[in-house]
Amino acid sequence: MATFRDLLAAAKAEIAEVDTAGAADLIAKGAVILDVREPDEYDQGAIPGAIHIPRGHLESQVENRILDRDAKVLIYCAGGVRSAFAAVTLQQLGYSDVVSMEGGFGRWKDEGRDWRTPVTLSAEQRHRYMRHLLLPEVGVEGQAKLLDAKVLMLGAGGLGSPSALYLAAAGVGTIGIVDMDEVDASNLQRQILHNIDRVGDRKVDSAKKTLTLLNPDVNVVTYDTRLDATNIMDIISGYDVIVDGADNFPSRYLLNDASVKLGIPVVHGSIFRFEGMVSVFHPLQGPTYRDMVPEPPPAELAPSCAEAGVLGVLPGIVGSIQALEVIKVILGIGEPLIGKILSVDTTDMTFRTFKLRVDPDNPVTYANRDRIIVKELDGLCAPGLSH
């Protein structure tokens, strides 16, 4: 009968191994790092960026966590034994370039190499965000970023409602809401943060009730005020991303200039009848609102939703896309709509993407932030924040 030593020797004969110096070199070259220790071991310290899958769950989870079977995968455990068996398993599952680290995390740590205590979630949070944790692009570290993030909603109306709901559900830790309106029965056709029992309530209060009932992890900060040049810098400062749900040009230009001055990305959304659009205006990485619309149109050419109407489900589509773009910006995943405009026409359900370039004549840029004067543009169209 084969002994454990025999099995280990057989496993090591089938795999490639590197010492800690070789492992560090592979990490520097972008290797995927896989930690196969138990949760209590992992929680006490790990190599930064490691994907954690306990050895006993490897077969059932690895294919959803490491999608590229041709990627260089560096596996480690506490001492180099479990990682050797894990390397054999990965090879049997079709991973073609797998390496086990000799000496494991113990030797890595003893040599003074880089390690840190991983971000941890409570048992309740692990259960709530389970589907996020299974995504390799999110995981525990990504979920922790969401919980630490601060997102400001400009408006608690048609676009702000679905955006806020999905961001709260995703676990965005702080959601600010700016709106000075009250709930009206005509809002309920599309503004799903509110309900008939709250007609006459302040929208920010109604929104806070809905979001805190959905997810107690979320701190909802309300601003029951008109956003203007005297308060916008104080309100938006400290937020990581802003969701623009305004339905008028003065608010959009005011937001653009203040956000560019502070370097805060804005996820813009707009809707009209059956059509909508989304873009990400990131002052540090691409074009902004003034690059798309250098000058506001006359009021007669910019009717509001109250004048032109809007299909109730349309802001649900556009607002949900805005929430998705916010999450992508926070986590640094995928390709956010920076320098792009996503247009949707729901009459024939077509989605089109257009390129948006920086206007060289636009003076309102982050590079010129010290010279930006945040001021209001009055008289262009009716004020308001809720589609």
Side-chain angles (χ1 to χ4, degrees):
M1 179 180 294
T3 65
F4 178 79
R5 289 180 178 275
D6 294 334
L7 294 174
L8 179 59
K12 285 178 173 286
E14 295 183 34
I15 63 168
E17 289 186 293
V18 293
D19 58 16
T20 51
D25 184 57
L26 292 177
I27 293 171
K29 293 178 180 177
V32 177
I33 314 168
L34 176 61
D35 186 324
V36 295
R37 295 174 300 158
E38 292 303 303
D40 60 327
E41 296 174 285
Y42 176 79
D43 290 345
Q44 293 174 20
I47 297 176
I51 297 171
H52 177 229
I53 307 176
R55 173 65 189 88
H57 299 283
L58 192 61
E59 290 86 342
S60 61
Q61 295 185 14
V62 69
E63 292 174 311
N64 291 326
R65 303 288 301 279
I66 303 177
L67 305 181
D68 183 3
R69 281 181 165 79
D70 294 323
K72 170 73 76 173
V73 181
L74 172 69
I75 310 176
Y76 75 90
C77 61
V81 175
R82 283 170 289 177
S83 60
F85 289 112
V88 173
T89 299
L90 257 63
Q91 289 179 166
Q92 293 171 344
L93 292 172
Y95 290 86
S96 61
D97 196 357
V98 181
V99 178
S100 172
M101 184 174 78
E102 293 178 329
F105 183 69
R107 184 179 298 172
W108 178 277
K109 184 177 178 181
D110 289 344
E111 292 176 354
R113 299 185 184 275
D114 187 25
W115 68 277
R116 64 194 63 173
T117 303
V119 175
T120 58
L121 303 177
S122 68
E124 293 80 5
Q125 289 173 328
R126 284 184 173 275
H127 183 67
R128 174 182 284 273
Y129 306 118
M130 184 186 304
R131 299 303 188 275
H132 273 180
L133 304 186
L134 293 174
L135 294 170
E137 296 84 356
V138 183
V140 173
E141 289 193 1
Q143 188 61 52
K145 287 182 181 180
L146 292 173
L147 289 164
D148 288 339
K150 297 180 179 180
V151 177
L152 180 68
M153 316 297 303
L154 185 57
L159 294 175
S161 288
S163 295
L165 282 166
Y166 273 110
L167 291 173
V172 170
T174 300
I175 296 179
I177 303 175
V178 184
D179 203 307
M180 62 171 294
D181 204 356
E182 64 181 32
V183 180
D184 185 83
S186 66
N187 303 147
L188 303 182
Q189 165 249 17
R190 63 203 177 281
Q191 298 181 17
I192 56 176
L193 274 172
H194 318 294
N195 60 50
I196 196 167
D197 292 333
R198 298 182 193 161
V199 170
D201 291 357
R202 306 304 293 175
K203 281 189 179 177
V204 291
D205 296 334
S206 173
K208 183 169 185 174
K209 290 177 183 177
T210 300
L211 299 178
T212 51
L213 284 171
L214 175 63
N215 190 348
D217 282 344
V218 179
N219 175 35
V220 180
V221 182
T222 60
Y223 304 90
D224 191 353
T225 184
R226 177 183 179 272
L227 201 66
D228 60 31
T230 66
N231 62 21
I232 187 169
M233 297 294 286
D234 289 335
I235 289 176
I236 72 174
S237 295
Y239 283 95
D240 302 307
V241 188
I242 301 170
V243 178
D244 178 11
D247 70 347
N248 66 88
F249 284 100
S251 293
R252 291 171 183 165
Y253 282 97
L254 183 69
L255 174 62
N256 176 83
D257 296 355
S259 63
V260 170
K261 190 175 182 69
L262 294 174
I264 303 173
V266 173
V267 179
H268 171 80
S270 59
I271 52 177
F272 181 74
R273 293 173 58 82
F274 299 92
E275 301 176 5
M277 60 157 288
V278 182
S279 188
V280 177
F281 302 130
H282 199 311
L284 279 64
Q285 297 183 22
T288 61
Y289 186 75
R290 283 187 182 271
D291 294 304
M292 183 177 72
V293 188
E295 298 291 338
E300 62 270 16
L301 297 181
S304 69
C305 292
E307 298 168 314
V310 62
L311 186 68
V313 73
L314 177 63
I317 297 170
V318 174
S320 297
I321 295 173
Q322 286 181 278
L324 178 58
E325 290 299 302
V326 169
I327 291 171
K328 287 162 63 179
V329 170
I330 292 171
L331 298 181
I333 60 176
E335 295 184 12
L337 291 169
I338 298 172
K340 292 180 282 187
I341 300 170
L342 176 66
S343 172
V344 55
D345 184 341
T346 58
T347 57
D348 56 7
M349 199 49 72
T350 53
F351 289 78
R352 296 182 177 90
T353 304
F354 305 94
K355 289 185 178 180
L356 176 63
R357 293 183 172 85
V358 172
D359 180 358
D361 297 324
N362 175 17
V364 183
T365 65
Y366 186 69
N368 294 332
R369 59 190 177 279
D370 292 338
R371 291 185 286 170
I372 295 175
I373 299 174
V374 178
K375 60 183 180 180
E376 297 184 63
L377 302 175
D378 294 321
L380 296 174
C381 53
L385 291 177
S386 304
H387 280 284

